[in-house]
Amino acid sequence: MSTHPDSYIKPELMACCGAREIRDRDIVIVGTGFPTMSANIARHTHAPGARMMQESGVFDAQPARPALSVGDPCLNPGAAMIGGLIEVMGMFLQGGWVDVGFLAGSQVDKYGNINTTVIGDYANPKSRLPGSGGANPIGALAKRVLIIALHNARTLAERVDFITTPGYLDGPGARERWGLRENTGPQVIITNKAIMRFDRESKEAYLESYHPGSSVEEVTRLTPWKLMVSKEVRETEPPRAEELRVLREVLDPLGMIKIYEKRGYV
Amino acid sequence: MDKVMSTADAVGKFIGDGDFVFMGGYICRPPFAAIHEIIRQKKRDLTITRSNAADDFDMLIGAGCVKRFISTFISLGLYGLARCYRRSIEKGIPHKIEIEEYTNLSLPLMLMAGALGMPFVPVKDMAGTDLMNVSSFMGDGKYKMIESPFDRSPVMLAPALRPDVAIIHVQQADGEGNAQMWGIGGDCKWGANAAHRVIVSCERIVSRETIGKDPSRTIVPAFKVVAVTEEPFGAHPGYTPGFYDVDMSFGYLYQQASGTVEGFQAFLDEWVYGIKDRAGYTQHYIQKFGYAQFRKLQAKFDYGYPVSYAY
């Protein structure tokens, strides 16, 4: 097998991109889907000391199959600790112990703010979405936040309709003004087309790399704000053989990750 | 004092129109037996709360039982947006409920504050976001921003919540109400302890002696409990660790049914109004889907070392 096999699907690439953001011994708060897979790929490759928790109250679960929700029955047997929201969201997250949070958004803007509350006007919404759940506190209190999003003009926005979860709010210094810890906030937006990071000064997302098959031109065209492009822009490294082996053989032998293709991650 | 009664009696006696009700659960242990009974008894104008609401809250909203919802999140999980909830907010069907929105950190802390008898609690989330810019029935009592009297940093305070009544579903309880739970907790323990009175629904009633073999698992003590109801399979289509799995195909059935007003009404007719109690529900489930399907949901056993508290 070559070091970078040719055949993979976009959600696999995105899961691997997420995995590369995880450092050894990180404490990671995860939801379902990509985040769980990313964190697990990392744990089976370069970050054996990383440990995961779910907001519902679980630390270091040993699920026999990919969890379908943060309350999934498979998270119970084998976990190292089970409490509830006060333990995970309170003692661990608000207590300052969580290194990485993974979030997805119906709408994500250039400052990494996320909307999962409402599309359109709050009082008379075009579409009413689920709400914050754990997203707002994860965005506020995890040291590093990784965002997963679809790359289109519906999901990405210059300014979200409603800030459910704080990214850099309205720019430099805003998080600190609201009492959030310094040097925290979103690190990266991983889309089905590209990887965007945040400029140190302006706090705006810029293009770091476009995925194989895409291009700077396509990514800037699909981004509804004037996207800055890194001087060192390059193609995203495709999934490594070892990452794919872990994903397909250990974590997701039934190929459940394929459902994300149906959700537009192509 | 023995508090064992039917769910119909417990709901009839201890939940009134207009009450503020906490309902525990987090995909695990939603108190569905009691929720169906609330719908059957046509309770009205309830204020409901818990972190991460799901199909059970959606059903209460669609059935017209709810006036107000202190919310953090509501969805049908894998099956997407909550249909009755959306119809209520977007189209006013059956009526538009009022929502007050918090998060999965602040709401559990507000319940904890209620349980601990504290008037309010500092929370380190929500600040700077649009969650600060929207409020409904709590008005400017939704939160207060203050300067910390200790270090002058900005601090958000959120009010304590004291529900009139909490309904929780747990694995086991004794007849007096000592309630034992294991597995994913959500905000169940704090929501129950914040309430003025607690209805405990359980998979099995056990003796006081059995409770005493593992007292660290008790999350609510008997003196807070007003009713104990034994409802095996009482959290279906949610799950109860050690008893039965989540029923994904039933979740899909509910999503499909609740997609339209007519479909939702037919669902209620079949699974709630047309049924007397949880035993009848389980019987109907087995008749409709077969015993093999019911059996498939039942948990396997996987015991560890029994614990000992002896000295």
Side-chain angles (χ1 to χ4, degrees), chain A residues 77-103:
Chain A
M81 174 177 176
I82 303 183
L85 287 152
I86 289 289
E87 282 82 357
V88 171
M89 301 302 273
M91 269 175 15
F92 302 153
L93 180 67
Q94 185 168 264
W97 293 88
V98 173
D99 297 300
V100 178
F102 266 101
L103 294 173

mmCIF file of all heavy atoms in Angstrom, chain A residues 77-103:
data_model
loop_
_atom_site.group_PDB
_atom_site.id
_atom_site.type_symbol
_atom_site.label_atom_id
_atom_site.label_comp_id
_atom_site.label_asym_id
_atom_site.label_seq_id
_atom_site.Cartn_x
_atom_site.Cartn_y
_atom_site.Cartn_z
ATOM 1 N N PRO A 77 -20.923 0.977 28.830
ATOM 2 C CA PRO A 77 -20.074 -0.103 29.358
ATOM 3 C C PRO A 77 -18.602 0.139 29.027
ATOM 4 O O PRO A 77 -18.267 0.378 27.863
ATOM 5 C CB PRO A 77 -20.594 -1.359 28.646
ATOM 6 C CG PRO A 77 -21.427 -0.896 27.511
ATOM 7 C CD PRO A 77 -21.819 0.523 27.752
ATOM 8 N N GLY A 78 -17.753 0.103 30.020
ATOM 9 C CA GLY A 78 -16.319 0.221 29.781
ATOM 10 C C GLY A 78 -15.735 1.599 29.996
ATOM 11 O O GLY A 78 -14.512 1.760 30.006
ATOM 12 N N ALA A 79 -16.582 2.622 30.143
ATOM 13 C CA ALA A 79 -16.060 3.978 30.366
ATOM 14 C C ALA A 79 -15.271 4.031 31.673
ATOM 15 O O ALA A 79 -15.477 3.220 32.574
ATOM 16 C CB ALA A 79 -17.214 4.983 30.407
ATOM 17 N N ALA A 80 -14.358 5.014 31.762
ATOM 18 C CA ALA A 80 -13.579 5.139 32.994
ATOM 19 C C ALA A 80 -14.361 5.869 34.085
ATOM 20 O O ALA A 80 -14.136 5.654 35.266
ATOM 21 C CB ALA A 80 -12.281 5.888 32.710
ATOM 22 N N MET A 81 -15.285 6.749 33.655
ATOM 23 C CA MET A 81 -16.071 7.518 34.619
ATOM 24 C C MET A 81 -17.361 7.954 33.945
ATOM 25 O O MET A 81 -17.334 8.343 32.773
ATOM 26 C CB MET A 81 -15.276 8.758 35.057
ATOM 27 C CG MET A 81 -16.040 9.712 35.957
ATOM 28 S SD MET A 81 -14.976 11.095 36.479
ATOM 29 C CE MET A 81 -16.167 12.090 37.396
ATOM 30 N N ILE A 82 -18.453 7.841 34.662
ATOM 31 C CA ILE A 82 -19.705 8.392 34.151
ATOM 32 C C ILE A 82 -20.342 9.249 35.228
ATOM 33 O O ILE A 82 -20.552 8.803 36.356
ATOM 34 C CB ILE A 82 -20.704 7.291 33.721
ATOM 35 C CG1 ILE A 82 -20.079 6.370 32.661
ATOM 36 C CG2 ILE A 82 -21.973 7.939 33.144
ATOM 37 C CD1 ILE A 82 -21.026 5.303 32.136
ATOM 38 N N GLY A 83 -20.613 10.479 34.867
ATOM 39 C CA GLY A 83 -21.371 11.371 35.738
ATOM 40 C C GLY A 83 -22.474 11.965 34.904
ATOM 41 O O GLY A 83 -23.202 11.245 34.220
ATOM 42 N N GLY A 84 -22.558 13.277 34.918
ATOM 43 C CA GLY A 84 -23.571 13.940 34.107
ATOM 44 C C GLY A 84 -23.021 15.242 33.567
ATOM 45 O O GLY A 84 -21.797 15.441 33.479
ATOM 46 N N LEU A 85 -23.916 16.154 33.219
ATOM 47 C CA LEU A 85 -23.508 17.430 32.630
ATOM 48 C C LEU A 85 -22.684 18.271 33.605
ATOM 49 O O LEU A 85 -21.759 18.960 33.201
ATOM 50 C CB LEU A 85 -24.759 18.204 32.191
ATOM 51 C CG LEU A 85 -25.441 17.650 30.935
ATOM 52 C CD1 LEU A 85 -26.925 17.961 30.956
ATOM 53 C CD2 LEU A 85 -24.805 18.200 29.679
ATOM 54 N N ILE A 86 -23.031 18.227 34.873
ATOM 55 C CA ILE A 86 -22.293 19.037 35.843
ATOM 56 C C ILE A 86 -20.828 18.588 35.904
ATOM 57 O O ILE A 86 -19.918 19.407 35.978
ATOM 58 C CB ILE A 86 -22.965 18.961 37.241
ATOM 59 C CG1 ILE A 86 -24.295 19.730 37.233
ATOM 60 C CG2 ILE A 86 -22.023 19.468 38.337
ATOM 61 C CD1 ILE A 86 -24.182 21.247 37.154
ATOM 62 N N GLU A 87 -20.603 17.286 35.819
ATOM 63 C CA GLU A 87 -19.223 16.793 35.855
ATOM 64 C C GLU A 87 -18.459 17.226 34.601
ATOM 65 O O GLU A 87 -17.374 17.795 34.701
ATOM 66 C CB GLU A 87 -19.200 15.258 35.977
ATOM 67 C CG GLU A 87 -19.471 14.729 37.381
ATOM 68 C CD GLU A 87 -20.960 14.665 37.706
ATOM 69 O OE1 GLU A 87 -21.787 15.092 36.860
ATOM 70 O OE2 GLU A 87 -21.308 14.182 38.800
ATOM 71 N N VAL A 88 -19.010 16.919 33.416
ATOM 72 C CA VAL A 88 -18.238 17.159 32.191
ATOM 73 C C VAL A 88 -18.257 18.638 31.798
ATOM 74 O O VAL A 88 -17.212 19.241 31.567
ATOM 75 C CB VAL A 88 -18.731 16.265 31.040
ATOM 76 C CG1 VAL A 88 -18.078 16.678 29.722
ATOM 77 C CG2 VAL A 88 -18.404 14.801 31.349
ATOM 78 N N MET A 89 -19.441 19.233 31.719
ATOM 79 C CA MET A 89 -19.511 20.636 31.287
ATOM 80 C C MET A 89 -19.073 21.582 32.407
ATOM 81 O O MET A 89 -18.524 22.650 32.144
ATOM 82 C CB MET A 89 -20.939 20.987 30.850
ATOM 83 C CG MET A 89 -21.448 20.132 29.711
ATOM 84 S SD MET A 89 -20.392 20.229 28.248
ATOM 85 C CE MET A 89 -21.081 21.648 27.434
ATOM 86 N N GLY A 90 -19.322 21.200 33.628
ATOM 87 C CA GLY A 90 -18.968 22.052 34.763
ATOM 88 C C GLY A 90 -17.553 21.801 35.259
ATOM 89 O O GLY A 90 -16.653 22.604 35.059
ATOM 90 N N MET A 91 -17.345 20.632 35.873
ATOM 91 C CA MET A 91 -16.046 20.341 36.504
ATOM 92 C C MET A 91 -14.898 20.317 35.506
ATOM 93 O O MET A 91 -13.811 20.789 35.791
ATOM 94 C CB MET A 91 -16.100 18.984 37.215
ATOM 95 C CG MET A 91 -16.530 19.090 38.654
ATOM 96 S SD MET A 91 -16.777 17.537 39.550
ATOM 97 C CE MET A 91 -16.016 16.254 38.617
ATOM 98 N N PHE A 92 -15.140 19.713 34.324
ATOM 99 C CA PHE A 92 -14.026 19.553 33.384
ATOM 100 C C PHE A 92 -13.911 20.733 32.417
ATOM 101 O O PHE A 92 -12.839 21.299 32.269
ATOM 102 C CB PHE A 92 -14.167 18.238 32.600
ATOM 103 C CG PHE A 92 -14.234 17.012 33.467
ATOM 104 C CD1 PHE A 92 -14.889 15.873 33.043
ATOM 105 C CD2 PHE A 92 -13.621 16.992 34.723
ATOM 106 C CE1 PHE A 92 -14.945 14.743 33.843
ATOM 107 C CE2 PHE A 92 -13.672 15.860 35.537
ATOM 108 C CZ PHE A 92 -14.347 14.721 35.090
ATOM 109 N N LEU A 93 -15.020 21.100 31.746
ATOM 110 C CA LEU A 93 -14.937 22.157 30.726
ATOM 111 C C LEU A 93 -14.805 23.542 31.377
ATOM 112 O O LEU A 93 -13.827 24.258 31.166
ATOM 113 C CB LEU A 93 -16.160 22.097 29.804
ATOM 114 C CG LEU A 93 -16.193 23.159 28.701
ATOM 115 C CD1 LEU A 93 -15.077 22.951 27.689
ATOM 116 C CD2 LEU A 93 -17.541 23.168 27.991
ATOM 117 N N GLN A 94 -15.793 23.907 32.198
ATOM 118 C CA GLN A 94 -15.720 25.221 32.849
ATOM 119 C C GLN A 94 -14.539 25.281 33.815
ATOM 120 O O GLN A 94 -13.929 26.326 34.017
ATOM 121 C CB GLN A 94 -17.033 25.541 33.575
ATOM 122 C CG GLN A 94 -17.053 26.942 34.175
ATOM 123 C CD GLN A 94 -18.442 27.367 34.636
ATOM 124 O OE1 GLN A 94 -19.164 28.031 33.916
ATOM 125 N NE2 GLN A 94 -18.817 26.977 35.850
ATOM 126 N N GLY A 95 -14.187 24.113 34.363
ATOM 127 C CA GLY A 95 -13.034 24.033 35.256
ATOM 128 C C GLY A 95 -11.705 24.262 34.547
ATOM 129 O O GLY A 95 -10.674 24.413 35.200
ATOM 130 N N GLY A 96 -11.719 24.230 33.208
ATOM 131 C CA GLY A 96 -10.517 24.597 32.460
ATOM 132 C C GLY A 96 -9.639 23.426 32.035
ATOM 133 O O GLY A 96 -8.480 23.613 31.692
ATOM 134 N N TRP A 97 -10.184 22.202 32.042
ATOM 135 C CA TRP A 97 -9.373 21.019 31.752
ATOM 136 C C TRP A 97 -9.447 20.556 30.307
ATOM 137 O O TRP A 97 -8.721 19.645 29.915
ATOM 138 C CB TRP A 97 -9.809 19.868 32.661
ATOM 139 C CG TRP A 97 -9.505 20.123 34.082
ATOM 140 C CD1 TRP A 97 -10.292 20.768 34.991
ATOM 141 C CD2 TRP A 97 -8.302 19.784 34.778
ATOM 142 N NE1 TRP A 97 -9.667 20.844 36.208
ATOM 143 C CE2 TRP A 97 -8.439 20.237 36.110
ATOM 144 C CE3 TRP A 97 -7.124 19.135 34.411
ATOM 145 C CZ2 TRP A 97 -7.444 20.064 37.059
ATOM 146 C CZ3 TRP A 97 -6.135 18.949 35.366
ATOM 147 C CH2 TRP A 97 -6.295 19.417 36.679
ATOM 148 N N VAL A 98 -10.348 21.123 29.511
ATOM 149 C CA VAL A 98 -10.557 20.591 28.160
ATOM 150 C C VAL A 98 -9.692 21.342 27.145
ATOM 151 O O VAL A 98 -9.755 22.561 27.049
ATOM 152 C CB VAL A 98 -12.046 20.676 27.767
ATOM 153 C CG1 VAL A 98 -12.240 20.274 26.314
ATOM 154 C CG2 VAL A 98 -12.873 19.780 28.687
ATOM 155 N N ASP A 99 -8.865 20.572 26.414
ATOM 156 C CA ASP A 99 -7.969 21.173 25.429
ATOM 157 C C ASP A 99 -8.678 21.446 24.113
ATOM 158 O O ASP A 99 -8.489 22.492 23.511
ATOM 159 C CB ASP A 99 -6.777 20.240 25.172
ATOM 160 C CG ASP A 99 -5.944 20.035 26.425
ATOM 161 O OD1 ASP A 99 -5.424 21.040 26.944
ATOM 162 O OD2 ASP A 99 -5.842 18.891 26.908
ATOM 163 N N VAL A 100 -9.453 20.469 23.639
ATOM 164 C CA VAL A 100 -10.009 20.570 22.298
ATOM 165 C C VAL A 100 -11.507 20.303 22.308
ATOM 166 O O VAL A 100 -11.978 19.360 22.958
ATOM 167 C CB VAL A 100 -9.343 19.534 21.358
ATOM 168 C CG1 VAL A 100 -9.951 19.605 19.958
ATOM 169 C CG2 VAL A 100 -7.848 19.778 21.284
ATOM 170 N N GLY A 101 -12.238 21.125 21.588
ATOM 171 C CA GLY A 101 -13.662 20.877 21.364
ATOM 172 C C GLY A 101 -13.915 20.822 19.870
ATOM 173 O O GLY A 101 -13.340 21.594 19.112
ATOM 174 N N PHE A 102 -14.744 19.899 19.451
ATOM 175 C CA PHE A 102 -15.131 19.784 18.047
ATOM 176 C C PHE A 102 -16.543 20.308 17.888
ATOM 177 O O PHE A 102 -17.438 19.913 18.642
ATOM 178 C CB PHE A 102 -15.161 18.313 17.631
ATOM 179 C CG PHE A 102 -13.885 17.832 17.014
ATOM 180 C CD1 PHE A 102 -12.989 17.100 17.756
ATOM 181 C CD2 PHE A 102 -13.610 18.093 15.685
ATOM 182 C CE1 PHE A 102 -11.827 16.628 17.179
ATOM 183 C CE2 PHE A 102 -12.452 17.625 15.104
ATOM 184 C CZ PHE A 102 -11.545 16.886 15.849
ATOM 185 N N LEU A 103 -16.789 21.166 16.913
ATOM 186 C CA LEU A 103 -18.143 21.664 16.704
ATOM 187 C C LEU A 103 -18.506 21.647 15.225
ATOM 188 O O LEU A 103 -17.638 21.813 14.363
ATOM 189 C CB LEU A 103 -18.263 23.096 17.230
ATOM 190 C CG LEU A 103 -18.118 23.273 18.749
ATOM 191 C CD1 LEU A 103 -18.076 24.746 19.096
ATOM 192 C CD2 LEU A 103 -19.255 22.580 19.484
#
